[in-house]
Amino acid sequence: DAGVIQSPRHEVTEMGQEVTLRCKPISGHDYLFWYRQTMMRGLELLIYFNNNVPIDDSGMPEDRFSAKMPNASFSTLKIQPSEPRDSAVYFCASSQTTYGYTFGSGTRLTVV
Amino acid sequence: AQTVTQSQPEMSVQEAETVTLSCTYDTSESDYYLFWYKQPPSRQMILVIRQEAYKQQNATENRFSVNFQKAAKSFSLKISDSQLGDAAMYFCAYEEYGNKLVFGAGTILRVKS
């Protein structure tokens, strides 16, 4: 298996633009998580899905953030409009049981 | 909500020596899972070791082992025979209900040659 695949690896965008981050989980994993990592706040859970259904989105910071999982093999995290304070590394992770997550390599987002 | 505390922002170890990273957590649950993750400069998050709370035996993975003290809610990671490739940020994590992981703030480990 290729692992959890995230794209793009780096994204630089201007304030006010829409940003879409993509994630392909490991086949057979029924949980998918989006985390954000910053120096100030560490690793924060934004939202997670179970069997493609959003279970907990209480970590999504504002209405500017939205996430979807249209099928078991694809998820997106969208920020619209983006702001400089959204600059961070965004991780997608998937899991099957309580064995622990497999993380993607993350997307480093820079909003200028 | 559960919390995970890593009290050592940074640690150093000489190559081939042993180092222990500390982690404490807060929970009222009796059955749960704990993890250590490694994040090297490449930023990839790598699962190092996993512990099930109902198992008294401490988990071991090659040079990595844990000291799990359930009553004290302590979960430390011991790295034996440290190697340069062990240099990274290490995160302790607790699994909440719903398979959510709560992470500590991390400990930067530096390995000196």
Side-chain angles (χ1 to χ4, degrees):
Chain A
D1 201 321
V4 176
I5 300 173
Q6 286 189 250
S7 64
R9 184 161 174 81
H10 304 279
E11 176 79 35
V12 180
T13 190
E14 292 186 347
M15 182 173 61
Q17 296 298 306
E18 177 179 297
V19 176
T20 299
L21 311 182
R22 296 172 176 78
C23 175
K24 176 179 169 55
I26 291 175
S27 177
H29 283 192
D30 53 2
Y31 284 89
L32 183 137
F33 304 82
W34 283 99
Y35 278 82
R36 178 171 69 175
Q37 185 179 29
T38 61
M39 289 292 292
M40 290 298 295
R41 301 174 68 89
L43 280 156
E44 303 175 278
L45 176 64
L46 300 177
I47 184 170
Y48 78 100
F49 297 82
N50 180 218
N51 292 321
N52 314 338
V53 176
I55 303 300
D56 184 351
D57 65 355
S58 60
M60 297 285 261
E62 301 170 34
D63 291 345
R64 300 184 296 107
F65 286 70
S66 63
K68 294 182 179 179
M69 192 167 185
N71 56 62
S73 59
F74 185 65
S75 177
T76 59
L77 177 68
K78 185 178 294 185
I79 308 172
Q80 165 64 22
S82 57
E83 297 181 5
R85 59 195 168 115
D86 301 330
S87 297
V89 177
Y90 291 81
F91 284 102
C92 175
S94 70
S95 72
Q96 185 176 30
T97 64
T98 51
Y99 196 77
Y101 298 175
T102 301
F103 281 81
S105 27
T107 295
R108 179 176 295 282
L109 173 65
T110 303
V111 183
V112 298
Chain B
Q2 284 79 1
T3 57
V4 177
T5 302
Q6 294 179 248
S7 59
Q8 306 152 318
E10 191 170 326
M11 293 282 286
S12 291
V13 63
Q14 199 69 33
E15 202 174 0
E17 297 296 312
T18 296
V19 64
T20 299
L21 308 184
S22 301
C23 173
T24 58
Y25 57 94
D26 180 32
T27 184
S28 57
E29 302 294 325
S30 60
D31 193 15
Y32 48 87
Y33 295 84
L34 296 162
F35 304 88
W36 279 97
Y37 280 86
K38 170 185 177 181
Q39 186 177 40
S42 66
R43 84 169 180 243
Q44 180 70 50
M45 293 286 286
I46 302 164
L47 177 63
V48 175
I49 201 164
R50 167 184 182 261
Q51 175 76 43
E52 298 166 52
Y54 66 87
K55 288 188 176 180
Q56 292 188 344
Q57 185 174 7
N58 289 324
T60 299
E61 289 287 343
N62 301 314
R63 298 182 295 107
F64 298 86
S65 61
V66 299
N67 183 6
F68 174 50
Q69 302 289 329
K70 190 172 183 179
K73 297 179 184 175
S74 171
F75 182 60
S76 60
L77 175 69
K78 185 172 81 171
I79 306 174
S80 304
D81 185 25
S82 297
Q83 301 175 359
L84 294 177
D86 295 334
M89 176 80 91
Y90 286 81
F91 292 96
C92 177
Y94 168 94
E95 182 180 315
E96 280 191 339
Y97 172 79
N99 208 17
K100 298 189 297 184
L101 288 185
V102 176
F103 288 89
T107 297
I108 297 172
L109 177 66
R110 304 192 191 281
V111 181
K112 301 175 183 177
S113 59

